[in-house]
Amino acid sequence: MAANEGHPRHRTYDAVIVGGGHNGLVAAAYLARAGRTVLVLERLDHTGGAAVSTRPFAGVDARLSRYSYLVSLLPKKIVRDLGLDFRVRTRNVSSYTPAERDGHPTGLLVGGGERRTREAFARLTGTEREYAAWRRFYGMTGQIAKRVFPTLTEPLPSRDELRRRVDDEEAWRTLFEEPIGVAIEDRFADDLVRGVVLTDALIGTFADAHDPSLKQNRCFLYHVIGGGTGDWDVPVGGMGALTDALAQAARAAGADIVTGHEAVRIDTDGRTAEITYRTADGEGVATARHVLVNASPQALAALTGDTPPAPAEGAQLKVNMLLKRLPRLRDGSVDPREAFSGTFHVAEGYGQLAAAHAQAAAGELPAAPPSEIYCHSLTDPTILGPALVEQGYQTLTLFGLHTPAALFEGDNEAVREELLKSTLAQLDAHLAEPITDCLATDAHGRPCIEAKTPLDLEQDLRLPGGNIFHRELTWPYAQEDTGRWGVETRHVNVLLCGAGAVRGGGVSGVPGHNAAMAVLERSGD
């Protein structure tokens, strides 16, 4: 959303927030509503960061969520506290995974009611066992979600405190102590079912199911606890609707939001900080009691003159498409409108995921790139102009896995093209017509499709290494030097409120909330 044009109204503020992404806007709204004077400095000509909606295709009235797609980790508490005009819609179908068994196209549809899901498992696997195991496993994660999610907007619990909250030793061991691959292999027998479970551990995280670091477990945890249910919902109006609402809430509470203002240095003595910023017209300085940095840990270090941490490499391909129509499936038992309304898994069997990881770790593009796709416009057509809706146009967003940034460093453009081609080929293997035949065209006659590699994301959004979480995800409990809220830095009055904070990552607003709470707590509110 375009914010205030012009310049800060004052030189001195209670809080200056560096970066107008969704977390910075959450912090600004909370602090301004508490009566603090707040300035948000955004280097781009709009707020929103990665949580934006844009019209990427020339002359086409389609406002797509360009980088972030679904909402799960945003607490309802934040929406209520800030009085946001923002809604989400649930997806009737959780996922569809196409497959071929005995030479015939088939697939696994999860959703549409318990009976239908049970029948889909039985049809794919030939037994009731896998569905029963699925129910037990996600019953367990559902209990963890109810107990862990509320802690994200509280001061950090200790590890022992969180373990007591979970109150289930088997669940704790499964998610917090042993590689998630152990649980998947112990509980499920079917390769396709195993792969569907594993995918939540690999979104934006380059890891094997048995990685001893357990970074795949941390990724899995955040993907199954959202909202206390693990549901991933569609933002009505696109992801930009959320950041538009946040900017409006912050501005209505009195915050100054200025775009085209890039912070370049923070000088602090622990009580007062000076933030030097650059505009098209030159440099300026704002003074504040507190500085909240809604940027990566690397950007924070650059601003304060500290030694930056090593960047965590991103490992994903993002593809946005606009279609004239949804493609027909080879599996004729499923309506494409159902298959694409949930998460459509491609080349994500358990063995396929392991092979893709091994190939990428060896410096090669995966021969069968895994990806997952969903169609926003099936659940929320408001992102399309009325004429496109009437003509049956649909959006598709694709998230590719196991493609680390290092694979693109030699020739980003050429490797991007090669990867996109092979990724679409994996999709086409399950379609009755090529996906390219369904693509709409823009005002210049070009196909409506764009792809972003980790290097593109680093260039567009300053994500270190293209990592969508800014760094490896952290456990949601206190560890050495994590501070009370997980946003503290070595500078007493400088806080990190971006995705790289403890309990950061994803579109959640949690780091923004927690940084604001840390400021208010210190000042006695």
Side-chain angles (χ1 to χ4, degrees), residues 271-284:
R271 291 175 298 179
T272 303
E274 288 190 342
I275 305 90
T276 302
Y277 57 83
R278 182 181 299 130
T279 71
D281 300 323
E283 288 193 349

Side-chain angles (χ1 to χ4, degrees), residues 496-509:
L496 179 65
C497 71
V502 177
R503 303 181 290 189
V507 176
S508 73

Side-chain angles (χ1 to χ4, degrees), residues 157-169 172-173 176-177 477:
S158 69
R159 186 175 188 273
D160 288 343
E161 287 169 341
L162 189 65
R163 188 171 190 164
R164 285 193 293 271
R165 290 280 285 264
V166 168
D167 193 29
D168 183 327
E169 285 303 306
W172 181 267
R173 183 182 70 254
F176 291 84
E177 292 187 346
Y477 53 70

Side-chain angles (χ1 to χ4, degrees), residues 1-25:
M1 178 177 185
N4 298 356
E5 290 80 15
H7 302 281
R9 292 183 293 174
H10 312 290
R11 188 182 186 278
T12 301
Y13 291 83
D14 292 321
V16 169
I17 298 172
V18 175
H22 82 283
N23 278 306
L25 296 172

Side-chain angles (χ1 to χ4, degrees), residues 54-57 64-67 69 317-322 396 398 416 420 439 447-453 456 460:
T54 58
R55 290 179 172 82
F57 307 121
L64 277 63
S65 300
R66 196 170 200 175
Y67 302 109
Y69 304 141
L317 177 73
K318 286 179 175 281
V319 182
N320 296 314
M321 293 175 264
L322 180 67
L396 280 190
L398 179 150
R416 184 202 306 119
L420 178 61
L439 289 174
C448 290
I449 182 169
E450 66 166 9
K452 301 282 185 179
T453 71
D456 297 324
D460 293 351

Side-chain angles (χ1 to χ4, degrees), residues 317 346-347 365-371 398 403 415-429:
L317 177 73
V346 180
L365 281 177
S371 67
L398 179 150
T403 54
V415 177
R416 184 202 306 119
E417 184 176 345
E418 180 182 354
L419 178 61
L420 178 61
K421 182 178 179 180
S422 56
T423 299
L424 296 183
Q426 291 301 311
L427 171 60
D428 282 348

